């Protein structure tokens, strides 16, 4: 083995600093090393036992390992957060029991989550796209001229070449 590799391996074990231990027994370390000419802090975890399950690492330690926190979590902070999580679990259990009792007593009906029926869009369509009977007419309009003009009108613009003027076509009302 090369001298550089051996010195690096020895340096890894000599210059590491243990930062903390979580309740699962995983140990967390840090070391400052030179990377590309710059001194950088390297952080890692050594799992307890042969089972290296990364799901056992608490969120606070994951944040520290990824550099999202500058300081490692303290035992007091971890204890406080664990107590808060336990209170949340207890509150969830109490709410579940309360809802179950209310359902059995008939006080609270069972709520269905999801689509029970589709929405009625007819009123929306009528409002957005009024039909010919719902179009408001001007006060001085006569029925004779407009009724024939509405039936003869096409929904497509008409005209060719010389008579076409961009932006002048309006859809029939």
């Amino acid at each position: 083995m090369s001298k550089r590799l051996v010195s690096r391996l020895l340096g890894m074990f000599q210059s590491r600093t243990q930062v903390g231990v979580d309740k699962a027994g995983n140990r967390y370390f840090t070391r400052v090393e030179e990377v590309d000419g710059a001194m950088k802090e390297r952080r890692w975890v050594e799992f307890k036992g042969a089972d290296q399950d990364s799901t056992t690492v608490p969120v606070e330690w994951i944040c520290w390992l990824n550099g999202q926190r500058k300081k490692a979590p303290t035992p007091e902070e971890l204890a406080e957060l664990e107590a808060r999580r336990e209170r949340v679990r207890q509150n969830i259990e109490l709410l579940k029991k309360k809802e179950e009792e209310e359902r059995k007593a008939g006080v609270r009906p069972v709520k269905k989550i999801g689509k029970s029926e589709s929405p009625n869009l007819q009123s929306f369509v009528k409002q957005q796209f009024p039909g010919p009977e719902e179009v408001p007419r001007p006060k001085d309009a006569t029925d004779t001229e407009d009724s024939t003009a509405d039936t003869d009108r096409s929904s497509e613009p008409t005209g060719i070449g010389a008579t076409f003027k961009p932006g002048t076509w309006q859809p029939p009302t």
Side-chain angles (χ1 to χ4, degrees):
M1 293 203 304
S2 73
K3 256 185 167 180
R4 185 174 177 206
L5 181 61
V6 172
S7 66
R8 187 162 186 182
L9 286 172
L10 287 174
M12 183 178 355
F13 294 107
Q14 292 173 350
S15 64
R16 69 182 187 173
T17 305
Q18 183 171 344
V19 178
V21 179
D22 63 15
K23 74 177 190 177
N26 301 325
R27 297 181 308 163
Y28 300 88
F29 297 93
T30 185
R31 178 181 72 239
V32 178
E33 62 183 25
E34 184 179 344
V35 178
D36 296 331
M39 299 303 284
K40 293 190 178 183
E41 182 182 39
R42 181 171 176 259
R43 300 171 177 183
W44 72 96
V45 60
E46 288 183 0
F47 295 98
K48 180 179 181 182
D51 184 26
Q52 295 189 355
D53 186 14
S54 61
T55 60
T56 62
V57 177
V59 175
E60 297 78 28
W61 282 109
I62 291 172
C63 291
W64 178 79
L65 287 168
N66 291 327
Q68 295 170 340
R69 334 174 28 137
K70 291 184 179 184
K71 295 182 180 178
T74 62
E76 295 82 19
E77 178 186 3
L78 292 172
E80 181 183 324
L81 290 170
E82 187 59 35
R84 178 183 288 166
R85 288 183 186 117
E86 186 58 35
R87 285 193 307 270
V88 168
R89 280 188 213 104
Q90 290 172 355
N91 288 340
I92 290 171
E93 287 300 317
L94 287 173
L95 287 172
K96 283 182 180 179
K97 287 178 185 176
K98 183 179 175 185
E99 283 181 358
E100 189 63 33
E101 289 172 1
E102 287 178 355
R103 266 192 221 115
K104 286 180 182 176
V107 176
R108 174 184 268 179
V110 177
K111 292 182 182 178
K112 291 184 180 179
I113 298 174
K115 292 184 178 180
S116 57
E117 61 182 56
S118 61
N120 183 2
L121 297 176
Q122 289 183 359
S123 62
F124 172 76
V125 171
K126 285 181 181 179
Q127 181 184 7
Q128 297 295 322
F129 309 103
E133 65 277 351
E134 298 163 2
V135 174
R137 297 181 151 266
K139 292 181 182 178
D140 49 321
T142 60
D143 288 337
T144 56
E145 247 179 58
D146 288 340
S147 63
T148 57
D150 284 342
T151 57
D152 294 342
R153 267 192 184 170
S154 167
S155 64
E156 295 296 319
T158 58
I160 55 169
T163 60
F164 178 74
K165 294 180 183 170
T168 58
W169 179 80
Q170 295 293 320
T173 55

